[in-house]
Amino acid sequence: MLSEKLCPPAAHARCRGAAKAALAVLLSLGTSGIAMAQQAPLRATLDNGLRVVIVPDHLAPVVSTEINYLVGSSDAPDGFPGTAHALEHMMFRGTKGLSGDALDAIGARVGGDNNADTTEDVTQYFYTAPIEDLGILLRVEADRMRNLTLSDADWSTERGAIEQEVSRDLSSPIYRYTAQLRGIMFAGTPYAHDALGTRPSFDRTDTKLLHSFYDSWYAPNNAILVIVGDVNPQATLSQVRAAFDGIARRPLPPRPAFSPEPVTAKTLSLDTDLPIGLATMAWRMPGLRAQDFAVADILSDVLGSNRYALYGLVPQGRALTAGFDYIATPQASFGVALAGFPKGADPKPFMESMRVVIADARAHGVPADLVEAAKRREVAQLEFNANSISGQASAWSQALAFSGLSSPQDVIRAYQAVTPAQVNALAARLLTPETAITANLIPSERNAPMGAGGFGGSESFSKPPAAGTKLPDWASAALARLAVPTPPATPAAFTLPNGLRLLVLPEHVSHTIQLFGSIRQNANLEEPKGKEGVASLTDALFEYGSTSRDRLALAKALDDIAADENAGANFALGVLTPDFDKGLAILSDNELHPAFPGQAFAILQRQAAMSRAGVMQSPDYRFRRSELRALNVPSDPALREATPESIAHLTLDDVHAFYTHAFRPDLTTIVVVGDTTPEAAHAAILKAFGGWTANGPKPLVDSPPRPDSRASKADTPDPGRSQDDVTLAETMGLTVSNPDRYALQVGNEVLGEGFTSRLLQDLRVRTGYAYFAGSSAQIGRTRSAFVVNFGADPDKAGAATKAAIRDVSAMRDTMVTDDELVQAKAGLLRRMPLQRASFAGLAGLYLRLADLGEPLDTPAHSAQAIYAVTAADVQTAFRTWVRPADLAELILGPQSH
């Protein structure tokens, strides 16, 4: 997605025509517009002003809470743009009743997703956890709303971590580009700086300032609490009242005025470490709270449509990528058109091609049918939000806190009211050359970081946390149990006569059906020698339609039913229930009868070869290659790589041959999740895919075992970065069939998973060396690896590496404590239900089991095995499989080491 390229990084870990019958389903569903198969939401406003919305969603025994404080970087004191972000970090450092260690311990034992983000106008704290722990989540949020400690010692260390976050984001060329755009677009307003903040502002920030900001804005009458999940609304409201009723409302300060200056045309040029160049044009656009927000969003959707002329530059061979992205914030937004060009190419023709398209949209408007298609898609997307508990919580928070509306239904009404005339009028008014900020992002070895100087806080280790962190009675009682979760319902399983495996999971939380398919492939083993790159080129050609529908006809057929589809080695379909058969027919036609047109092949081949040249020179690619070389012997197939030369020598016959060889039903698994029955889904899949046949014997797709890797070191210089990315990696000899995997999983939870992990405590909490640090035991069918990752400034990276290796070695040398063991097992077991809290999560779980060759009841067996792991098992597993002396040290950073 283009938004993934251009949206500024989140301040914490998470930043953020249908057929008439299908549309009629949505319009007849009632008042919510989201998850109409569910109970109606319950709304309440407590006496202290806290607004509460409770939305039942019985997809899984899970709940998601989002508390939205209506304050952000826009409300920060002059000269301190990161104040809201700093306070967000300190909300995890402890209260008068809960130390930082206690908060961490609660988070670890509850499991789930516990994090926050800071934006210009809203700061969010969100948690997704097992439903039985809702009371704990509410008590924690209520305590943090009124009792934050904000000690000097905690801020002294946390400042190091937050400045590491700044350093990380300044290493991103896209962040640096959007930061400059903000400064121009929103000059004279608080939006001129994003929510991240700067090192100078954090250096000047003290706890007195943070206390003042906290006391001013963190009040119940300035917050909206959204709760979505497997809840009883009235009982949940009683829990909310018990937790929050005792917090008094407070008067709120006046909010700063927002009066942006007029934007005048300006041209920028930025050196980057990206593998391709980007020509961009940007304009200021209406914000989320503007009356014409929906019009602007529909305009952006049309400009970004793959049926519109801007994206048409790609199949014409006039751009490597193209599209339009809308970076929307409450009071004002900006939109960016972009066209990609090869490294070393002159950006002028790409910029000019884009100018012509935008000028035509401004002068003559956009096609009315694309406007209607965009409206249908936006309305349908709100129905799809019900397929994720956390996604639905986010949708409600977006409507209430960011857009200032009363519900997502208001969003639907706004989209439905948009007319083509309104869209064209807005295009004529906004997309003027006089107000466009043009920029060329040019791949260059001269790429330099934004800002200067190192980042980081204290450099001395404090004593390790005491075993058995003291929790208050209400938390310790609720978290004392260590239980095996109820296993998920086993999907209905079918095998078609052609060998295709079908798994069906009926879920009726929305009127949608989602299909996820995967063909087991391994390009390293299946691409003929000298034909490297044919697998990715084959996948790219599916976009160009089938033998019965060309690219535009395929896109229109999907627009007509507001469906999302992609074909290839991994394929998917998302569609409203009444149109499942239509959507499935489109997908199977695309997957089984791809057109592979010669003209498209020639253009894609040329683009792929040009792009590949830039990719192979990019620091990120060279860094990834250094890891592959560290883990594999020189003759290993994992080291095969496509080159501009190998791609240039491919023929269309090579594509057809690879498709015939590698795309086959007996290596395919399809998972269907949603508003259907096993029998209906089986009949539909049999009709759509039953005629697919395999040719020849099954290809080899499992990589051979490899020997243990040995210690090595590799530096990948990237002068545009201000921070080192460090990876410590080695191979492991076990595979997924080895029961030691469970002890390694529990041990990795102790070592490098979550805020209480030893790595994060030692590299962030106690020292401020890093913003993030973690580890993973990546266990596969035939190959496995152990990996540690962190980011640190160059002058901190050496000390951080030594600390990380000490932590890895300690897992072998001594047994984990009883408290660590229980906490790790509790977190793993309580996270298991979260895999079922979205359609994508459910499908991903079973597709992974299929890929690993494991039975469908593996989740239940895994839970039992994790429950039974002992401290001795963990130590034995680490002694057997993890070799600290053999870890390769790989660094991507601004300088050689």
Side-chain angles (χ1 to χ4, degrees):
M1 295 292 291
L2 295 172
S3 59
E4 293 172 355
K5 297 177 183 176
L6 292 180
C7 286
H12 213 6
R14 163 182 130 168
C15 179
R16 83 170 238 262
K20 290 183 179 179
L23 188 56
V25 168
L26 281 176
L27 299 181
S28 66
L29 289 177
T31 59
S32 166
I34 301 181
M36 292 292 130
Q38 298 287 334
Q39 298 169 248
L42 174 64
R43 301 166 181 269
T45 301
L46 306 190
D47 291 342
N48 57 16
L50 177 67
R51 286 184 278 167
V52 183
V53 177
I54 302 168
V55 184
D57 188 328
H58 304 296
L59 177 60
V62 166
V63 67
S64 186
T65 64
E66 291 197 6
I67 188 160
N68 302 271
Y69 289 95
L70 306 184
V71 60
S73 58
S74 293
D75 305 294
D78 289 343
F80 295 87
T83 303
H85 184 197
L87 183 58
E88 175 223 303
H89 274 244
M90 294 299 290
M91 286 280 278
F92 294 86
R93 279 293 190 167
T95 70
K96 296 173 184 176
L98 287 169
S99 67
D101 282 345
L103 280 174
D104 296 343
I106 290 172
R109 292 211 180 195
V110 168
D113 179 16
N114 173 26
N115 228 307
D117 64 42
T118 304
T119 68
E120 293 81 1
D121 300 280
V122 181
T123 305
Q124 298 179 295
Y125 300 86
F126 43 89
Y127 214 134
T128 302
I131 183 60
E132 61 265 27
D133 295 320
L134 173 59
I136 294 175
L137 309 187
L138 296 176
R139 290 286 294 265
V140 168
E141 294 298 2
D143 195 43
R144 295 200 299 189
M145 182 180 280
R146 60 180 166 184
N147 291 323
L148 210 59
T149 305
L150 294 173
S151 74
D152 291 341
D154 284 342
W155 171 239
S156 177
T157 304
E158 191 62 29
R159 175 163 41 207
I162 200 171
E163 290 183 345
Q164 288 297 323
E165 185 181 358
V166 172
S167 184
R168 179 201 65 181
D169 288 350
L170 292 181
S171 294
S172 162
I174 296 300
Y175 176 82
R176 301 198 297 267
Y177 165 62
T178 56
Q180 289 196 47
L181 273 186
R182 284 179 170 279
I184 298 169
M185 293 283 186
F186 306 128
T189 77
Y191 275 22
H193 297 283
D194 72 1
L196 179 66
T198 65
R199 183 192 180 193
S201 72
F202 292 130
D203 284 343
R204 298 195 310 273
T205 298
D206 57 23
T207 54
K208 180 180 180 181
L209 176 67
L210 294 176
H211 267 293
S212 175
F213 194 80
Y214 174 67
D215 292 340
S216 297
W217 295 107
Y218 276 56
N221 48 308
N222 196 42
I224 302 171
L225 174 61
V226 175
I227 301 173
V228 177
D230 191 23
V231 298
N232 176 299
Q234 289 294 343
T236 298
L237 181 59
S238 296
Q239 288 181 285
V240 172
R241 292 190 185 281
F244 288 91
D245 262 345
I247 306 175
R249 68 164 56 232
R250 292 197 296 274
L252 301 173
R255 299 187 184 273
F258 191 90
S259 302
E261 301 169 1
V263 178
T264 56
K266 188 171 184 178
T267 300
L268 307 174
S269 181
L270 296 85
D271 292 331
T272 80
D273 61 1
L274 298 173
I276 67 170
L278 295 174
T280 71
M281 300 177 69
W283 295 267
R284 192 161 67 206
M285 298 186 73
L288 290 165
R289 296 174 187 168
Q291 189 172 11
D292 53 357
F293 157 70
V295 180
D297 203 11
I298 296 299
L299 171 61
S300 302
D301 288 346
V302 172
L303 295 176
S305 168
N306 62 3
R307 292 169 58 198
Y308 191 62
L310 183 57
Y311 183 80
L313 298 174
V314 177
Q316 294 167 18
R318 299 163 63 195
L320 298 180
T321 184
F324 193 93
D325 202 18
Y326 184 26
I327 295 85
T329 44
Q331 301 188 66
S333 305
F334 59 88
V336 181
L338 63 83
F341 57 88
K343 182 176 181 178
D346 183 356
K348 290 180 182 177
F350 300 90
M351 182 71 77
E352 184 56 31
S353 294
M354 190 164 52
R355 286 184 195 274
V356 170
V357 172
I358 297 298
D360 183 73
R362 180 170 178 262
H364 304 108
V366 297
D369 68 317
L370 291 187
V371 172
E372 296 306 318
K375 290 168 59 177
R376 286 190 292 268
R377 285 189 174 278
E378 291 288 0
V379 173
Q381 182 56 50
L382 294 173
E383 180 75 4
F384 279 98
N385 284 337
N387 299 346
S388 165
I389 288 175
S390 61
Q392 189 164 191
S394 178
W396 276 88
S397 292
Q398 181 79 5
L400 274 63
F402 288 84
S403 297
L405 303 173
S406 63
S407 77
Q409 183 196 12
D410 290 345
V411 181
I412 287 180
R413 291 195 185 104
Y415 286 129
Q416 290 170 335
V418 174
T419 67
Q422 290 174 317
V423 172
N424 291 335
L426 191 67
R429 178 165 61 87
L430 292 183
L431 304 179
T432 66
E434 294 80 13
T435 58
I437 307 302
T438 58
N440 291 316
L441 281 64
I442 301 172
S444 172
E445 304 305 320
R446 301 189 307 272
N447 177 36
M450 178 178 176
F455 300 85
S458 167
E459 296 186 22
S460 60
F461 283 85
S462 61
K463 64 180 179 64
T469 299
K470 176 69 174 173
L471 297 180
D473 292 342
W474 56 265
S476 60
L479 296 173
R481 63 178 181 82
L482 182 63
V484 175
T486 302
T490 303
F494 306 88
T495 301
L496 273 57
N498 59 9
L500 185 149
R501 191 181 190 195
L502 169 66
L503 307 176
V504 184
L505 294 137
E507 294 289 351
H508 304 289
V509 297
S510 72
H511 298 286
T512 69
I513 300 173
Q514 290 184 258
L515 177 154
F516 304 84
S518 178
I519 305 171
R520 295 198 68 227
Q521 292 184 3
N522 187 334
N524 294 328
L525 299 178
E526 294 183 90
E527 289 180 327
K529 187 175 181 180
K531 305 292 184 181
E532 291 83 1
V534 68
S536 60
L537 193 55
T538 301
D539 249 22
L541 279 165
F542 280 94
E543 180 189 341
Y544 288 81
S546 67
T547 53
S548 62
R549 295 183 182 90
D550 65 14
R551 182 184 73 84
L552 291 176
L554 170 64
K556 184 179 186 306
L558 295 168
D559 276 347
D560 285 346
I561 57 172
D564 287 321
E565 179 260 14
N566 64 274
N570 294 294
F571 53 95
L573 172 70
V575 67
L576 297 167
T577 303
D579 288 318
F580 180 57
D581 288 341
K582 292 180 182 178
L584 191 55
I586 295 169
L587 170 66
S588 62
D589 182 46
N590 192 191
E591 187 75 18
L592 305 187
H593 308 289
F596 295 156
Q599 182 178 5
F601 168 77
I603 291 172
L604 280 179
Q605 180 185 38
R606 184 171 66 251
Q607 292 174 329
M610 291 188 295
S611 297
R612 193 65 180 173
V615 166
M616 294 182 73
Q617 298 173 45
S618 68
D620 279 344
Y621 179 81
R622 290 185 281 117
F623 180 57
R624 292 194 300 271
R625 292 294 297 179
S626 72
E627 182 173 353
L628 287 173
R629 286 191 294 270
L631 298 184
N632 299 283
V633 297
S635 60
D636 195 276
L639 290 172
R640 294 183 67 188
E641 61 179 338
T643 65
E645 293 73 25
S646 70
I647 294 170
H649 284 93
L650 294 173
T651 67
L652 190 55
D653 286 343
D654 294 327
V655 169
H656 283 285
F658 184 81
Y659 175 78
T660 300
H661 168 82
F663 286 74
R664 45 192 300 142
D666 53 355
L667 287 174
T668 299
T669 301
I670 290 176
V671 180
V672 174
V673 190
D675 190 22
T676 187
T677 65
E679 296 75 19
H682 176 254
I685 297 298
L686 183 62
K687 179 181 178 181
F689 287 94
W692 189 11
T693 58
N695 293 280
K698 285 185 181 181
L700 181 65
V701 295
D702 291 322
S703 296
R706 57 189 174 184
D708 288 347
S709 59
R710 299 304 178 196
S712 61
K713 184 170 182 177
D715 252 350
T716 305
D718 183 354
R721 301 181 62 84
S722 57
Q723 186 180 77
D724 283 344
D725 265 5
V726 180
T727 293
L728 308 175
E730 67 183 1
T731 62
M732 291 194 298
L734 85 167
T735 64
V736 72
S737 61
N738 192 309
D740 279 358
R741 64 188 271 204
Y742 299 110
L744 284 171
Q745 191 176 0
V746 173
N748 187 71
E749 189 82 4
V750 173
L751 174 66
E753 188 68 42
F755 211 77
T756 58
S757 71
R758 292 180 177 183
L759 284 172
L760 203 59
Q761 289 288 314
D762 282 345
L763 272 65
R764 173 177 170 167
V765 176
R766 298 191 186 98
T767 63
Y769 288 157
Y771 170 63
F772 166 79
S775 63
S776 60
Q778 302 166 2
I779 303 173
R781 265 196 196 222
T782 60
R783 295 183 166 192
S784 301
F786 176 74
V787 180
V788 174
N789 298 104
F790 60 87
D793 285 326
D795 61 338
K796 307 291 189 298
T801 298
K802 290 178 181 178
I805 293 175
R806 280 199 300 270
D807 284 341
V808 173
S809 298
M811 298 296 297
R812 293 166 44 94
D813 297 340
T814 59
M815 286 195 289
V816 299
T817 66
D818 289 344
D819 189 63
E820 285 179 316
L821 181 69
V822 171
Q823 189 164 279
K825 290 162 67 172
L828 286 167
L829 293 171
R830 286 169 180 254
R831 278 206 299 275
M832 285 184 171
L834 272 63
Q835 296 175 305
R836 297 138 57 190
S838 71
F839 283 15
L842 273 167
L845 169 64
Y846 289 105
L847 285 176
R848 175 165 171 76
L849 292 179
D851 183 61
L852 292 174
E854 295 192 284
L856 298 179
D857 61 355
T858 294
H861 292 303
S862 297
Q864 293 286 351
I866 288 170
Y867 183 83
V869 167
T870 67
D873 293 336
V874 171
Q875 184 181 23
T876 298
F878 268 78
R879 281 181 172 176
T880 304
W881 302 111
V882 179
R883 313 174 311 281
D886 285 340
L887 286 167
E889 182 181 351
L890 313 165
I891 303 174
L892 172 66
Q895 60 194 40
S896 296
H897 296 76

